[in-house]
Amino acid sequence: MTLGRAPFQGSAARLRRFALGMRWLSVLAFFVVFAATARADVTRYALVVGNDLGAADEGRLRYAETDARKVLDVLHALGDFQPENTVLLLGRGAREVERVLISLNARIRAESHGPRDAMLLVYYSGHADARALHLGGEQLELPLLKRLVQGSAAAFRVLLLDACRSGALTRVKGARLSEPFNISTDEQLSGEGVAFLTSSSADEDAQESDALRGSFFTHYFVSGLRGAADRNENGTVSVEEAYDYAYQHTLRASSRTWAGLQHPTFQFDLKGKGGVPLTWVQRLDRRRTLLSVPPGRTYVLFARDAQGPVVAEVDIGDARRRLALEPGLYFVRGRADDHLLEGVVELAPGQQVELPEADLERVEYARLARKGGGELASAQAVWLGYQARSPLWSEAGFCHGARAGYALDLPEVTLGVGLGACRSAFSNAALGARADELGLDLSVMRVVDVPGVSLGAGIAAGLSWLHQSFETEGLAPARNSIAAHVDLVGSVTSDLADGFYVLAELAGQLHVFKQQQARNADSTTAVVTVRPMLAAGKRF
């Protein structure tokens, strides 16, 4: 019996040890889960500053304060930055910015005890130079700003500065050309969890864009935070991913400006932290919608309508083509090589939708240029067609021939150059005659786009060389003369695919020229004619 119980007693001991081990494992698992939960429970604080005004000798910016609003909107919507933990300062001075940042640091120090971590993000858009940010008539010294960010009790600290210079279609951010704005990327930052991001290097301009209605860097940084930068498709956008996306696209966009390439700079010191998420872009709830856009075009989204603020962009080369957006109305513009797709989409809460590209209106670039939309300020076209002009001389027939031209579409007017050649003839029992004409004219048209066609009206003026030759039994030398003409022109244009279009035009013309009469006497003649034309063209 005793020998028979030994195996049972050993099994019971092993069971007790197993149960005790499971108990400790459960406790350990609880603390692991608790620690992970506490680790994920990060309180996020942000100070977002925008100021269109710099020093007295610096030009007013157009989009610095707009950019600040965009950054705060995306942090609220997708980054778990609660409104009570964020501060937006627009058009405020340096002393107030300093005071608010010190106060925010005090809150973080008081509220980040125990297992809770904190994150601090400081964003600035406006004027600056090598020593300080310029906020109206006040300056915030860069060394002081850096110390305030580095000295924060937050576990993660991000300082993002969008400041410097440019011009032309882009505008200067920081008008002082003597000393460049500089945060050295070689400088070692104290403490873990610090990231310094700037929109340009030490000797470059930070550029604004009228088309984007904001700075290049902030526009692409915000687009990246909305999902375009999620390169590993894990549903979050990290600081590093957002910066890399903004860097690549700022470089590409600035390469097309006269100010030249703009290279954002960075310094990360995030040892052991891994990618620090700034936004979550896969969540579906009542506050957001996921919109996927088709490949093959660059898409820009505007809030409400075409005059609303630019919300985000997905470039033609972006692999990640899904954006997290707030519910509401959006104006969508897709850019192809020779046309746009435009339309309004309404996004309902909690949806995951594909952009209905088939429902968007195709807009040729000339129409876009005429209404001053997008980056396109003009569109060019060439055309070739058939013309027929009523006679300049009695008994002559219509002057039939070809007409070619060039047109430049601008927001207010369309400028044109036309070159035409035609021939007419007449004959009777005693005489046969042929009249050739070669003419050049300039036109100014006002074009209005209506559904399906474009209607134009304008004036033109030009000169023509007139040559008459005769066939007769007597002596009839050829005649040459120069005619001037003024035209009233009306047109109807219909767009086809791939930039091609057809054009119908009718001109009423007043020609004035000298005509040789009997006995070699010349007289000035004025003749009213009409000139219809049908043509086909190509815009580029």
Side-chain angles (χ1 to χ4, degrees), residues 78 225-227 230 235-237 279-283 288 290 324:
L78 306 176
L225 292 179
R226 289 193 175 276
D230 183 19
T236 68
V237 177
T279 56
W280 286 261
V281 295
Q282 292 285 39
R283 297 175 182 172
R288 71 186 69 184
L290 298 182

Side-chain angles (χ1 to χ4, degrees), residues 443-522:
S443 63
V444 179
M445 302 279 288
R446 176 64 173 166
V447 180
V448 177
D449 297 309
V450 298
V453 297
S454 300
L455 305 177
I459 60 174
L463 296 174
S464 298
W465 172 65
L466 306 176
H467 175 77
Q468 290 177 288
S469 58
F470 304 95
E471 295 180 2
T472 180
E473 294 181 358
L475 181 62
R479 298 173 181 174
N480 295 287
S481 59
I482 299 297
H485 62 90
V486 178
D487 310 345
L488 295 177
V489 185
S491 67
V492 179
T493 304
S494 178
D495 292 317
L496 306 176
D498 300 323
F500 290 96
Y501 65 95
V502 292
L503 167 67
E505 185 177 276
L506 181 64
Q509 303 175 301
L510 175 62
H511 291 263
V512 179
F513 58 96
K514 287 187 176 183
Q515 185 172 12
Q516 187 176 355
Q517 303 293 337
R519 299 177 183 177
N520 294 323
D522 291 340

Side-chain angles (χ1 to χ4, degrees), residues 97-119:
V97 173
E98 178 185 347
R99 178 183 59 80
V100 171
L101 183 52
I102 291 173
S103 176
L104 200 56
N105 277 339
R107 273 196 60 194
I108 294 171
R109 190 176 304 108
E111 297 175 359
S112 61
H113 299 299
R116 296 171 61 88
D117 278 339
M119 177 179 186

Side-chain angles (χ1 to χ4, degrees), residues 218-446:
T218 294
H219 168 72
Y220 290 114
F221 193 79
V222 170
S223 294
L225 292 179
R226 289 193 175 276
D230 183 19
R231 60 174 178 258
N232 59 7
E233 299 189 14
N234 65 349
T236 68
V237 177
S238 68
V239 177
E240 297 92 330
E241 286 176 322
Y243 163 79
D244 183 62
Y245 183 86
Y247 176 91
Q248 299 294 338
H249 287 73
T250 298
L251 201 63
R252 173 185 55 79
S254 63
S255 69
R256 297 197 290 255
T257 69
W258 78 268
L261 292 176
Q262 176 183 333
H263 298 79
T265 67
F266 73 97
Q267 177 68 60
F268 292 136
D269 188 359
L270 304 174
K271 298 176 182 178
K273 305 294 184 182
V276 178
L278 277 183
T279 56
W280 286 261
V281 295
Q282 292 285 39
R283 297 175 182 172
L284 279 175
D285 55 39
R286 62 181 179 83
R287 297 178 301 168
R288 71 186 69 184
T289 299
L290 298 182
L291 176 68
S292 297
V293 300
R297 292 181 177 85
T298 293
Y299 277 94
V300 181
L301 280 79
F302 304 76
R304 300 182 303 278
D305 54 39
Q307 277 63 56
V310 177
V311 175
E313 176 179 338
V314 178
D315 187 67
I316 187 172
D318 289 345
R320 187 66 174 169
R321 307 190 67 80
R322 179 179 296 171
L323 296 172
L325 302 166
E326 293 77 62
L329 285 176
Y330 292 89
F331 181 84
V332 180
R333 176 173 291 152
R335 180 179 292 276
D337 289 339
D338 55 8
H339 69 277
L340 302 181
L341 294 179
E342 291 186 340
V344 175
V345 295
E346 184 171 7
L347 303 180
Q351 287 187 335
Q352 184 171 339
V353 297
E354 297 279 342
L355 178 67
E357 198 174 57
D359 295 340
L360 302 179
E361 178 188 2
R362 181 187 176 102
V363 180
E364 300 300 327
Y365 278 1
R367 289 189 172 222
L368 180 67
R370 284 194 286 268
K371 67 183 181 181
E375 297 178 1
L376 200 68
S378 65
Q380 304 177 73
V382 292
W383 48 265
L384 177 66
Y386 161 79
Q387 67 171 349
R389 196 208 62 238
S390 61
L392 290 176
W393 298 277
S394 61
E395 300 182 1
F398 270 74
C399 193
H400 298 274
R403 184 170 168 80
Y406 165 85
L408 177 65
D409 288 288
L410 301 172
E412 298 299 327
V413 296
T414 295
L415 306 178
V417 179
L419 178 65
C422 67
R423 170 173 290 181
S424 64
F426 76 95
S427 63
N428 56 33
L431 180 68
R434 186 179 67 197
D436 295 311
E437 178 181 344
L438 180 64
L440 178 69
D441 57 74
L442 304 175
S443 63
V444 179
M445 302 279 288
R446 176 64 173 166

Side-chain angles (χ1 to χ4, degrees), residues 28-346:
L28 179 60
F30 169 80
F31 279 108
V32 168
V33 172
F34 177 83
T37 304
R39 185 69 174 170
D41 188 14
V42 176
T43 305
R44 294 168 167 242
Y45 301 84
L47 172 59
V48 179
V49 181
N51 199 324
D52 291 334
L53 295 178
D57 59 344
E58 293 174 318
R60 184 186 183 96
L61 301 175
R62 291 191 63 181
Y63 304 115
E65 296 178 16
T66 299
D67 283 342
R69 290 190 185 95
K70 290 180 183 178
V71 169
L72 188 64
D73 286 345
V74 75
L75 294 180
H76 282 166
L78 306 176
D80 283 352
F81 286 79
Q82 300 303 314
E84 62 269 20
N85 295 329
T86 61
V87 180
L88 175 65
L89 297 180
L90 300 179
R92 305 298 181 86
R95 303 289 73 80
E96 184 170 358
V97 173
E98 178 185 347
R99 178 183 59 80
V100 171
L101 183 52
I102 291 173
S103 176
L104 200 56
N105 277 339
R107 273 196 60 194
I108 294 171
R109 190 176 304 108
E111 297 175 359
S112 61
H113 299 299
R116 296 171 61 88
D117 278 339
M119 177 179 186
L120 171 65
L121 185 146
V122 177
Y123 168 90
Y124 170 76
S125 180
H127 284 284
D129 63 19
R131 298 176 298 276
L133 308 183
H134 299 176
L135 298 107
E138 300 178 358
Q139 294 189 2
L140 178 57
E141 300 296 326
L142 282 175
L144 173 60
L145 176 62
K146 292 166 63 177
R147 287 196 303 271
L148 290 174
V149 173
Q150 288 176 288
S152 173
F156 310 112
R157 289 145 284 161
V158 179
L159 174 60
L160 198 163
L161 301 175
D162 191 351
C164 265
R165 312 165 177 89
S166 83
L169 288 179
T170 61
R171 284 185 169 77
V172 173
K173 273 200 169 184
R176 298 180 185 272
L177 300 179
S178 57
E179 292 187 79
F181 174 76
N182 181 27
I183 285 186
S184 173
T185 56
D186 296 327
E187 182 177 356
Q188 293 299 312
L189 305 179
S190 62
E192 288 193 349
V194 181
F196 277 7
L197 310 174
T198 71
S199 64
S200 62
S201 66
D203 56 354
E204 293 175 343
D205 296 337
Q207 303 175 39
E208 286 187 325
S209 166
D210 285 332
L212 300 177
R213 299 167 198 171
S215 77
F216 286 125
F217 181 81
T218 294
H219 168 72
Y220 290 114
F221 193 79
V222 170
S223 294
L225 292 179
R226 289 193 175 276
D230 183 19
R231 60 174 178 258
N232 59 7
E233 299 189 14
N234 65 349
T236 68
V237 177
S238 68
V239 177
E240 297 92 330
E241 286 176 322
Y243 163 79
D244 183 62
Y245 183 86
Y247 176 91
Q248 299 294 338
H249 287 73
T250 298
L251 201 63
R252 173 185 55 79
S254 63
S255 69
R256 297 197 290 255
T257 69
W258 78 268
L261 292 176
Q262 176 183 333
H263 298 79
T265 67
F266 73 97
Q267 177 68 60
F268 292 136
D269 188 359
L270 304 174
K271 298 176 182 178
K273 305 294 184 182
V276 178
L278 277 183
T279 56
W280 286 261
V281 295
Q282 292 285 39
R283 297 175 182 172
L284 279 175
D285 55 39
R286 62 181 179 83
R287 297 178 301 168
R288 71 186 69 184
T289 299
L290 298 182
L291 176 68
S292 297
V293 300
R297 292 181 177 85
T298 293
Y299 277 94
V300 181
L301 280 79
F302 304 76
R304 300 182 303 278
D305 54 39
Q307 277 63 56
V310 177
V311 175
E313 176 179 338
V314 178
D315 187 67
I316 187 172
D318 289 345
R320 187 66 174 169
R321 307 190 67 80
R322 179 179 296 171
L323 296 172
L325 302 166
E326 293 77 62
L329 285 176
Y330 292 89
F331 181 84
V332 180
R333 176 173 291 152
R335 180 179 292 276
D337 289 339
D338 55 8
H339 69 277
L340 302 181
L341 294 179
E342 291 186 340
V344 175
V345 295
E346 184 171 7

